[in-house]
Amino acid sequence: MITASSRVTRLTLCLGLAVLAVPVLAQIAPGGGRSEARRAQSGVASYYHSSLHGNLTANGERYNHSALTVAHRSLPFGTLLRVTSAHNGRRVLVRVNDRGPFIRGRQLDLSGGAADRLSMRQRGTHRVRYEIVPPSSLPSRQAVPAPKVRHF
């Protein structure tokens, strides 16, 4: 038989566990705790064919073949990645806007524009290194420098 005091005890225990879980959930955000563990990774990247231009991506926007975007299986939409080619050292900054690739052994699906910047169109796939870039570190997010004073 469940008494009122045992119900209160159970409710207090459930509320206590919920309070303990809140700080953990607050850390999981784009660029947050889980993303930090994936700082620098490497793998194989492929690129989208131009026939997919105009199709909807997983986040609802239209795919632009010349844009600098990428598909990743689990990173949050809008995450910025710096992708570096292992073959020639070229780098490009891309934004996650789609899910994929769905072929075993591949980590990224680049847009045509990003593939051109990395010079990977001839090969089809490329070995790359990628890392998450915090938006606050971009030059466009920095404070405007003070104007220089010229004395004549």
Side-chain angles (χ1 to χ4, degrees):
M1 179 173 190
I2 299 176
T3 63
S5 64
S6 65
R7 285 184 188 163
V8 170
T9 305
R10 285 184 186 177
L11 180 63
T12 306
L13 179 63
C14 290
L15 288 175
L17 291 176
V19 169
L20 291 175
V22 170
V24 174
L25 293 176
Q27 293 175 0
I28 302 172
R34 285 188 178 177
S35 314
E36 291 298 323
R38 302 181 193 175
R39 256 317 198 200
Q41 298 218 351
S42 63
V44 177
S46 56
Y47 64 92
Y48 285 108
H49 192 268
S50 60
S51 65
L52 297 173
H53 180 77
N55 289 356
L56 288 178
T57 60
N59 73 346
E61 65 186 56
R62 298 261 176 211
Y63 169 64
N64 182 353
H65 191 64
S66 60
L68 299 176
T69 57
V70 67
H72 189 275
R73 287 190 192 107
S74 60
L75 287 175
F77 294 133
T79 302
L80 298 175
L81 297 178
R82 180 175 291 118
V83 181
T84 306
S85 168
H87 295 283
N88 54 27
R90 291 179 179 226
R91 300 178 351 172
V92 66
L93 186 69
V94 292
R95 178 179 52 89
V96 176
N97 75 335
D98 203 3
R99 293 289 172 230
F102 300 109
I103 297 175
R104 187 183 311 215
R106 295 188 191 170
Q107 282 71 37
L108 300 175
D109 255 343
L110 297 165
S111 64
D116 288 340
R117 295 261 179 111
L118 294 177
S119 296
M120 64 178 279
R121 288 289 191 114
Q122 300 292 33
R123 297 179 60 107
T125 61
H126 228 58
R127 192 120 185 91
V128 296
R129 205 173 139 264
Y130 62 96
E131 59 187 335
I132 296 173
V133 177
S136 60
S137 70
L138 297 176
S140 62
R141 304 293 175 134
Q142 303 297 321
V144 178
K148 294 182 180 179
V149 178
R150 294 187 176 189
H151 301 284
F152 293 101

